Amino acid sequence: MNIVTVPDPLLRQISEPAEIGDKSLKKLAKDMAKTMYKTDGVGIAAVQVGVLKRMIVIDCDVESRRRRPIVLVNPEILKTDGPELTEREGCLSVPGVYGYVTRPTWAKIRAQDRFGNWFEREGEGIVAQCFCHETEHLDGHLFIEKVEEYVDVEQMQDGEEE
Ligand code: ZN
C-alpha cells in the first residue's frame, strides 16, 4: 500500500470509528502491517494508507523483529504518566524529517479487536511514544506540530532511522 504523505490534506482529517463486523478490517490490518514492516516503521495508522478508519497497527519490538503486530481498533489513550521524555521521532507520512518531541514515558491505551472485544495495553518508552503518535493521527494531528527541535538528517548515522 502506498503511504499518504504531507501535504496530503487527508492526514489532517478526523478518522471515523471503525465498524465492528466490517469484513474489510482484517485485510486492512494485514496490509497495514505489511506496509509498516516494509518501511521499517514501528506503528501505522489507517489514514496513512488512505483509509479514514480509527485503527492502528503497532510493533515496537525493533530489536528482535519477530513481527507480532498489535492491531488496535478504535483506540483511545486512557492515561499517561511518568516523567516526560524528549526523544527523536519520525513519521512514515513525513519522510526524511526527524525531530525531538516530548511525550509521557508511560501510557495506557484501550482498544477493540476486530470482533469488538475491548482490551487494554500499557507501555513505556517507545511503546508509549508510539501509542500517542499513532492515536494522534486518527484526530488529524502530526508529530511535526510538537517538534521542539529538528534533527539534521545529514548528521544522523546509518541505521538510525526510525
Ligand atoms: Zn506518524
Side-chain angles (χ1 to χ4, degrees), residues 1-4 10 15-20 22-37 43-58 69-75 114 138:
M1 293 180 111
N2 287 328
I3 301 269
V4 177
L10 201 68
S15 296
E16 297 283 334
E19 221 177 293
I20 298 308
D22 176 347
K23 293 212 162 49
S24 69
L25 292 186
K26 187 181 179 182
K27 184 173 188 304
L28 177 61
K30 212 175 154 186
D31 289 344
M32 283 166 65
K34 212 185 276 178
T35 306
M36 175 179 76
Y37 290 124
I44 191 166
V47 59
Q48 293 183 277
V49 293
V51 180
L52 284 169
K53 287 180 186 169
R54 301 187 81 85
M55 185 161 95
I56 63 179
V57 176
I58 284 174
I70 310 169
V71 178
L72 300 120
V73 177
N74 298 320
R114 62 191 170 81
L138 305 181

Side-chain angles (χ1 to χ4, degrees), residues 15-148:
S15 296
E16 297 283 334
E19 221 177 293
I20 298 308
D22 176 347
K23 293 212 162 49
S24 69
L25 292 186
K26 187 181 179 182
K27 184 173 188 304
L28 177 61
K30 212 175 154 186
D31 289 344
M32 283 166 65
K34 212 185 276 178
T35 306
M36 175 179 76
Y37 290 124
K38 203 174 153 191
T39 50
D40 275 328
V42 292
I44 191 166
V47 59
Q48 293 183 277
V49 293
V51 180
L52 284 169
K53 287 180 186 169
R54 301 187 81 85
M55 185 161 95
I56 63 179
V57 176
I58 284 174
D59 186 352
C60 294
D61 192 359
V62 279
E63 303 287 300
S64 78
R65 274 310 196 198
R66 281 173 304 172
R67 301 201 166 191
R68 287 190 193 147
I70 310 169
V71 178
L72 300 120
V73 177
N74 298 320
E76 35 188 278
I77 301 282
L78 286 181
K79 201 179 166 198
T80 58
D81 205 358
E84 304 238 286
L85 197 67
T86 305
E87 285 283 2
R88 201 178 58 216
E89 239 174 80
C91 177
L92 300 175
S93 293
V94 194
V97 175
Y98 298 88
Y100 288 91
V101 177
T102 300
R103 305 264 190 202
T105 43
W106 179 89
K108 186 190 246 185
I109 199 167
R110 178 176 113 105
Q112 287 171 290
D113 61 22
R114 62 191 170 81
F115 307 103
N117 305 304
W118 288 96
F119 62 96
E120 290 178 5
R121 285 284 175 111
E122 43 182 86
E124 285 181 308
I126 187 175
V127 180
Q129 183 186 29
C130 202
F131 284 163
C132 296
H133 179 119
E134 299 309 331
T135 50
E136 284 170 9
H137 271 298
L138 305 181
D139 291 316
H141 292 294
L142 295 172
F143 86 107
I144 42 176
E145 296 164 35
K146 295 193 165 181
V147 166
E148 290 152 39

